[in-house]
Amino acid sequence: MDFAAPLDGIEVCAAGDLLSRYAGSGPCTPVRWQQVLDGLAADRQGVIPRQAPAADTTERVTFLLDHDPLGPLLGAVARLLHEGDEAAARDTAHAARSFHAVTTAPPLRHHRRPAPAPGADVRTRFMYRVATEGQHYLPLTAGELRDELGAMVPRQAVVPRPVPEERAAWVVVWETLSAPGVVMTGAWAAVAYPDATGIEWLMQSLKSGVAAMEPGPPDLEWRRP
């Protein structure tokens, strides 16, 4: 398998180039930036961050929405970070599970965590829910997450982060370090840090996620009996 292929179609470009391509010449306005978003969508492409840029030189990452396995995950998490709604959260979790399946050693794909012992602490019970109900990536509202964990709300294994104060906002929580988690964190960084730092973080996260697709040691790979 060509492990460079998952990065095909993912490009870093200046926001001004996108404006020229989809909205013609002129300053960046909300109306003209929406033309960019609409034009990219018509071309089956997505962009991170989705917010209007501060300057023409501000960088954006574009990608092909239909290019598995990264396109669907990037498209969904970009919407989640921008809109915070239920559909985007559920799409993000679904895409993360799909990417998880191709970045996890086959024996671990079939691992089932044992149920918590009676009297287990709140965090243990919640993470069991993430592993089982969420299949490692659980979409839920910020209010439900706070009700479940209180002061133990995760600071890192969640997008958006920090968890929004608005109870109705949706988030996706994951269990442990994983390739989808790394990619989602990179997408968050691209939104949280509007300078080149966030874009560099995202691109490095994508490379790390793709590296996780490479086969591991033969004794960990699935073999027919």
Side-chain angles (χ1 to χ4, degrees), residues 39 41 57 71 80 90 110 118-119 171 180-181 209 214-216:
T57 56
L80 174 61
R90 295 194 181 282
H110 306 287
V171 300
E214 298 178 8

Side-chain angles (χ1 to χ4, degrees), residues 18-225:
L18 294 174
L19 282 162
S20 297
R21 186 187 314 168
Y22 290 106
S25 60
C28 181
T29 64
V31 171
R32 295 185 72 242
W33 185 249
Q34 186 59 51
Q35 288 180 290
V36 171
L37 298 180
D38 293 343
L40 285 168
D43 289 341
R44 297 302 300 154
Q45 295 187 68
V47 62
I48 299 179
R50 290 179 62 83
Q51 288 85 347
D56 284 356
T57 56
T58 303
E59 291 182 331
R60 288 290 187 266
V61 174
T62 61
F63 51 90
L64 302 176
L65 289 167
D66 296 331
H67 192 64
D68 286 328
L70 291 172
L73 178 57
L74 288 173
V77 74
R79 287 173 24 236
L80 174 61
L81 291 166
H82 185 64
E83 301 164 3
D85 62 12
E86 179 178 359
R90 295 194 181 282
D91 288 347
T92 298
H94 176 73
R97 294 176 196 129
S98 297
F99 190 36
H100 182 90
V102 296
T103 56
T104 304
L108 297 180
R109 295 175 197 168
H110 306 287
H111 173 73
R112 294 294 181 269
R113 173 181 289 196
D121 61 83
V122 171
R123 189 179 187 283
T124 298
R125 295 198 303 272
F126 178 76
M127 286 304 169
Y128 179 73
R129 180 185 172 194
V130 172
T132 53
E133 177 186 333
Q135 299 176 58
H136 306 293
Y137 305 92
L138 180 67
L140 74 172
T141 64
E144 185 180 358
L145 179 60
R146 293 185 187 280
D147 290 345
E148 287 263 5
L149 292 183
M152 292 184 290
V153 168
R155 295 182 179 180
Q156 294 186 328
V158 59
V159 288
R161 66 178 70 163
V163 174
E165 293 295 332
E166 182 184 354
R167 288 183 58 85
W170 280 76
V171 300
V172 173
V173 182
W174 57 94
E175 185 182 7
T176 57
L177 179 65
S178 64
V182 167
V183 170
M184 288 188 283
T185 296
W188 161 81
V191 173
Y193 301 98
D195 59 10
T197 302
I199 299 298
E200 292 172 3
W201 190 333
L202 172 57
M203 296 307 293
Q204 185 57 51
S205 297
L206 294 172
K207 293 176 183 176
S208 297
V210 169
M213 296 175 62
E214 298 178 8
D219 59 336
L220 289 180
E221 295 299 320
W222 177 261
R223 295 190 301 273
R224 287 184 178 274

